[in-house]
Amino acid sequence: MCRVWFRRGFTLIEMLISMIILAIIIGIGVPSYVSFRDVQRMEAVGQTLISDLQLARTEASKASDRTIRIYLFSGSNWCWRVADTACTSCSDTCTLGSAHLVRGSSVSDFPNTGMDTNLTTANQLLVSGRRGVMTSNGSDWVRFSLNGKQVEVHVSATGNARLCTPSGTQLSGIESC
């Protein structure tokens, strides 16, 4: 009579080899995921500002005698607000239109990001009711940064905005400035 031996389970060596392989995969994957997440956050904050710029142009065009302002407050607690009323800080409740819309974004929406500006008019972009054009000399920009990655939103006098990366900080999928 012949006995057949069946092996059940894993040996300690097989388990250790599996754990080492898993550790290598995680060690490679986590930094790649963090970098991917940072790039996505940078693109999201830039696209959100561009969306609010388009809203301001649309609202300004509705009433040709009205000027819409996008207030940008830099610093560690940065924010921007879209309003047709005066706005002096991030804590102000700045509203837009008769529906009293509160539009804008802040560092709490995009944690750990920084914002810097280069604007023609101090801390604001002005959108005129006349065809939604802006009071810009064409070199206005807002820069967002996170963990060494940067994106800029460049605004032209015609009100067009584009997202790009400054030289030396190329991010995949975003054109260079």
Side-chain angles (χ1 to χ4, degrees), residues 104-118:
S105 197
S106 67
V107 70
S108 63
D109 300 322
F110 301 96
N112 303 321
T113 58
M115 182 177 83
D116 188 27
T117 61
N118 179 40

PDB file of all heavy atoms in Angstrom, residues 104-118:
ATOM      1  N   GLY A 104     -15.672  80.871  -4.284  1.00  0.00           N
ATOM      2  CA  GLY A 104     -14.248  80.996  -4.036  1.00  0.00           C
ATOM      3  C   GLY A 104     -13.712  79.695  -3.481  1.00  0.00           C
ATOM      4  O   GLY A 104     -14.401  78.681  -3.447  1.00  0.00           O
ATOM      5  N   SER A 105     -12.479  79.738  -3.055  1.00  0.00           N
ATOM      6  CA  SER A 105     -11.836  78.558  -2.508  1.00  0.00           C
ATOM      7  C   SER A 105     -10.766  79.007  -1.525  1.00  0.00           C
ATOM      8  O   SER A 105     -10.430  80.189  -1.462  1.00  0.00           O
ATOM      9  CB  SER A 105     -11.229  77.733  -3.637  1.00  0.00           C
ATOM     10  OG  SER A 105     -10.949  76.440  -3.187  1.00  0.00           O
ATOM     11  N   SER A 106     -10.226  78.048  -0.769  1.00  0.00           N
ATOM     12  CA  SER A 106      -9.211  78.401   0.224  1.00  0.00           C
ATOM     13  C   SER A 106      -8.278  77.218   0.468  1.00  0.00           C
ATOM     14  O   SER A 106      -8.483  76.131  -0.069  1.00  0.00           O
ATOM     15  CB  SER A 106      -9.874  78.819   1.533  1.00  0.00           C
ATOM     16  OG  SER A 106     -10.512  77.715   2.117  1.00  0.00           O
ATOM     17  N   VAL A 107      -7.300  77.453   1.314  1.00  0.00           N
ATOM     18  CA  VAL A 107      -6.330  76.419   1.650  1.00  0.00           C
ATOM     19  C   VAL A 107      -7.014  75.220   2.311  1.00  0.00           C
ATOM     20  O   VAL A 107      -6.532  74.095   2.197  1.00  0.00           O
ATOM     21  CB  VAL A 107      -5.192  76.989   2.533  1.00  0.00           C
ATOM     22  CG1 VAL A 107      -5.691  77.336   3.920  1.00  0.00           C
ATOM     23  CG2 VAL A 107      -4.009  76.039   2.601  1.00  0.00           C
ATOM     24  N   SER A 108      -8.144  75.425   2.955  1.00  0.00           N
ATOM     25  CA  SER A 108      -8.847  74.296   3.576  1.00  0.00           C
ATOM     26  C   SER A 108      -9.409  73.345   2.519  1.00  0.00           C
ATOM     27  O   SER A 108      -9.597  72.159   2.801  1.00  0.00           O
ATOM     28  CB  SER A 108      -9.959  74.789   4.491  1.00  0.00           C
ATOM     29  OG  SER A 108     -10.941  75.481   3.756  1.00  0.00           O
ATOM     30  N   ASP A 109      -9.671  73.840   1.301  1.00  0.00           N
ATOM     31  CA  ASP A 109     -10.133  72.976   0.213  1.00  0.00           C
ATOM     32  C   ASP A 109      -8.981  72.198  -0.419  1.00  0.00           C
ATOM     33  O   ASP A 109      -9.201  71.131  -1.008  1.00  0.00           O
ATOM     34  CB  ASP A 109     -10.823  73.808  -0.878  1.00  0.00           C
ATOM     35  CG  ASP A 109     -12.034  74.557  -0.355  1.00  0.00           C
ATOM     36  OD1 ASP A 109     -12.757  73.987   0.484  1.00  0.00           O
ATOM     37  OD2 ASP A 109     -12.237  75.707  -0.763  1.00  0.00           O
ATOM     38  N   PHE A 110      -7.778  72.748  -0.335  1.00  0.00           N
ATOM     39  CA  PHE A 110      -6.585  72.137  -0.930  1.00  0.00           C
ATOM     40  C   PHE A 110      -5.451  72.171   0.106  1.00  0.00           C
ATOM     41  O   PHE A 110      -4.548  72.988   0.017  1.00  0.00           O
ATOM     42  CB  PHE A 110      -6.185  72.880  -2.204  1.00  0.00           C
ATOM     43  CG  PHE A 110      -7.267  72.888  -3.244  1.00  0.00           C
ATOM     44  CD1 PHE A 110      -8.129  73.963  -3.362  1.00  0.00           C
ATOM     45  CD2 PHE A 110      -7.433  71.802  -4.090  1.00  0.00           C
ATOM     46  CE1 PHE A 110      -9.141  73.958  -4.306  1.00  0.00           C
ATOM     47  CE2 PHE A 110      -8.437  71.789  -5.029  1.00  0.00           C
ATOM     48  CZ  PHE A 110      -9.304  72.880  -5.143  1.00  0.00           C
ATOM     49  N   PRO A 111      -5.499  71.285   1.108  1.00  0.00           N
ATOM     50  CA  PRO A 111      -4.545  71.328   2.222  1.00  0.00           C
ATOM     51  C   PRO A 111      -3.086  71.267   1.766  1.00  0.00           C
ATOM     52  O   PRO A 111      -2.744  70.608   0.797  1.00  0.00           O
ATOM     53  CB  PRO A 111      -4.897  70.079   3.035  1.00  0.00           C
ATOM     54  CG  PRO A 111      -6.291  69.733   2.643  1.00  0.00           C
ATOM     55  CD  PRO A 111      -6.452  70.182   1.228  1.00  0.00           C
ATOM     56  N   ASN A 112      -2.261  71.978   2.508  1.00  0.00           N
ATOM     57  CA  ASN A 112      -0.803  72.014   2.336  1.00  0.00           C
ATOM     58  C   ASN A 112      -0.344  72.724   1.067  1.00  0.00           C
ATOM     59  O   ASN A 112       0.843  72.696   0.758  1.00  0.00           O
ATOM     60  CB  ASN A 112      -0.202  70.607   2.387  1.00  0.00           C
ATOM     61  CG  ASN A 112      -0.537  69.901   3.674  1.00  0.00           C
ATOM     62  OD1 ASN A 112      -0.543  70.507   4.736  1.00  0.00           O
ATOM     63  ND2 ASN A 112      -0.828  68.622   3.582  1.00  0.00           N
ATOM     64  N   THR A 113      -1.246  73.314   0.305  1.00  0.00           N
ATOM     65  CA  THR A 113      -0.836  74.051  -0.888  1.00  0.00           C
ATOM     66  C   THR A 113      -0.559  75.503  -0.509  1.00  0.00           C
ATOM     67  O   THR A 113      -1.130  76.031   0.435  1.00  0.00           O
ATOM     68  CB  THR A 113      -1.917  74.014  -1.989  1.00  0.00           C
ATOM     69  OG1 THR A 113      -3.127  74.563  -1.464  1.00  0.00           O
ATOM     70  CG2 THR A 113      -2.158  72.616  -2.489  1.00  0.00           C
ATOM     71  N   GLY A 114       0.324  76.123  -1.282  1.00  0.00           N
ATOM     72  CA  GLY A 114       0.619  77.528  -1.097  1.00  0.00           C
ATOM     73  C   GLY A 114       0.151  78.320  -2.310  1.00  0.00           C
ATOM     74  O   GLY A 114      -0.025  77.761  -3.393  1.00  0.00           O
ATOM     75  N   MET A 115      -0.085  79.610  -2.140  1.00  0.00           N
ATOM     76  CA  MET A 115      -0.509  80.460  -3.243  1.00  0.00           C
ATOM     77  C   MET A 115       0.309  81.740  -3.245  1.00  0.00           C
ATOM     78  O   MET A 115       0.540  82.335  -2.199  1.00  0.00           O
ATOM     79  CB  MET A 115      -1.995  80.819  -3.124  1.00  0.00           C
ATOM     80  CG  MET A 115      -2.501  81.666  -4.289  1.00  0.00           C
ATOM     81  SD  MET A 115      -4.267  82.028  -4.216  1.00  0.00           S
ATOM     82  CE  MET A 115      -4.280  83.433  -3.121  1.00  0.00           C
ATOM     83  N   ASP A 116       0.746  82.138  -4.431  1.00  0.00           N
ATOM     84  CA  ASP A 116       1.487  83.371  -4.627  1.00  0.00           C
ATOM     85  C   ASP A 116       0.893  84.065  -5.841  1.00  0.00           C
ATOM     86  O   ASP A 116       0.399  83.393  -6.756  1.00  0.00           O
ATOM     87  CB  ASP A 116       2.971  83.056  -4.853  1.00  0.00           C
ATOM     88  CG  ASP A 116       3.830  84.301  -4.881  1.00  0.00           C
ATOM     89  OD1 ASP A 116       3.447  85.315  -4.260  1.00  0.00           O
ATOM     90  OD2 ASP A 116       4.885  84.264  -5.533  1.00  0.00           O
ATOM     91  N   THR A 117       0.915  85.383  -5.872  1.00  0.00           N
ATOM     92  CA  THR A 117       0.298  86.106  -6.983  1.00  0.00           C
ATOM     93  C   THR A 117       1.225  87.164  -7.564  1.00  0.00           C
ATOM     94  O   THR A 117       2.114  87.673  -6.889  1.00  0.00           O
ATOM     95  CB  THR A 117      -0.998  86.819  -6.539  1.00  0.00           C
ATOM     96  OG1 THR A 117      -0.679  87.779  -5.520  1.00  0.00           O
ATOM     97  CG2 THR A 117      -2.021  85.837  -6.020  1.00  0.00           C
ATOM     98  N   ASN A 118       0.988  87.486  -8.820  1.00  0.00           N
ATOM     99  CA  ASN A 118       1.620  88.611  -9.505  1.00  0.00           C
ATOM    100  C   ASN A 118       0.498  89.271 -10.306  1.00  0.00           C
ATOM    101  O   ASN A 118       0.142  88.809 -11.380  1.00  0.00           O
ATOM    102  CB  ASN A 118       2.741  88.126 -10.429  1.00  0.00           C
ATOM    103  CG  ASN A 118       3.393  89.279 -11.166  1.00  0.00           C
ATOM    104  OD1 ASN A 118       3.609  90.335 -10.594  1.00  0.00           O
ATOM    105  ND2 ASN A 118       3.687  89.072 -12.433  1.00  0.00           N
TER     106      ASN A 118
END
